[in-house]
Amino acid sequence: MGKVQCILVLFLVSCTAFSCTYPLSSESFVRVSDRDDAGRYVFSLDMSDSAAVYTINFFTRLDCGDNMFAGIGDIAIDVLVESPGHRKYSERVYLPASDIQKRNYFTKDYDVIYRERFSPAEAGVWTMYLSVPDETELTGLRGIGTRIEKIPYGKR
């Protein structure tokens, strides 16, 4: 095998190996109609790499006109996370009305960082339960999504 052919084979093998790696980010969206029996939006967050740090975003869309949106204000979200070892942590966070990423008369898109560049207390798959206390007052809420980005060791 010639030098050029050997380089080509090594290049193709390395492309194949890199295409099989785990993605560095993933997102999931749960519609209002797909909540669990307790009315929560449920997500699995894979944070198995103990050498990495992670960033989690919340995103959502409201379908409502500007007149209705003016009275909504910040959106409260109750967060309950359960570790792989079944420890539970909870808090209330807010999606500020000022953090709209995209807006037109009929839709308002939020994309807000929940946690940035953190190391989980335990490596593994965590379960996150989100609920919106004033959901009945939020006209046009489509659901809630999470995006998790893995930042490998060395790229921190």
Side-chain angles (χ1 to χ4, degrees):
M1 184 180 290
K3 185 176 181 179
V4 173
Q5 292 170 327
C6 184
I7 291 172
L8 181 61
V9 168
L10 286 174
F11 173 75
L12 292 174
V13 168
S14 66
C15 287
T16 303
F18 286 119
S19 68
C20 296
T21 61
Y22 186 81
L24 294 179
S25 70
S26 64
E27 64 182 48
S28 178
F29 187 82
V30 177
R31 295 180 182 274
V32 170
S33 59
D34 294 331
R35 293 174 297 171
D36 70 2
D37 292 338
R40 302 173 301 185
Y41 302 88
V42 183
F43 302 92
S44 291
L45 304 175
D46 186 353
M47 297 186 281
S48 300
D49 187 346
S50 62
V53 293
Y54 297 88
T55 295
I56 298 174
N57 284 48
F58 294 151
F59 61 93
T60 191
R61 172 173 279 179
L62 292 177
D63 291 327
C64 65
D66 284 340
N67 294 340
M68 292 178 120
F69 182 74
I72 290 177
D74 297 345
I75 300 172
I77 297 180
D78 288 335
V79 180
L80 172 66
V81 290
E82 184 174 356
S83 74
H86 305 291
R87 289 190 191 98
K88 294 182 180 178
Y89 307 89
S90 65
E91 67 180 326
R92 177 171 283 183
V93 298
Y94 295 87
L95 300 182
S98 61
D99 275 2
I100 296 174
Q101 301 298 310
K102 184 175 149 188
R103 173 190 194 131
N104 65 37
Y105 182 78
F106 293 107
T107 61
K108 315 305 182 259
D109 292 347
Y110 289 84
D111 194 335
V112 177
I113 293 173
Y114 168 61
R115 290 283 182 269
E116 188 170 24
R117 296 178 156 298
F118 74 97
S119 297
E122 296 176 45
V125 178
W126 289 63
T127 304
M128 178 179 277
Y129 304 91
L130 303 178
S131 58
V132 181
D134 301 324
E135 191 161 349
T136 56
E137 299 172 18
L138 289 176
T139 304
L141 180 68
R142 289 190 179 183
I144 297 178
T146 60
R147 180 180 313 103
I148 182 167
E149 179 185 6
K150 174 182 166 183
I151 300 132
Y153 182 79
K155 299 214 179 203
R156 297 179 183 196

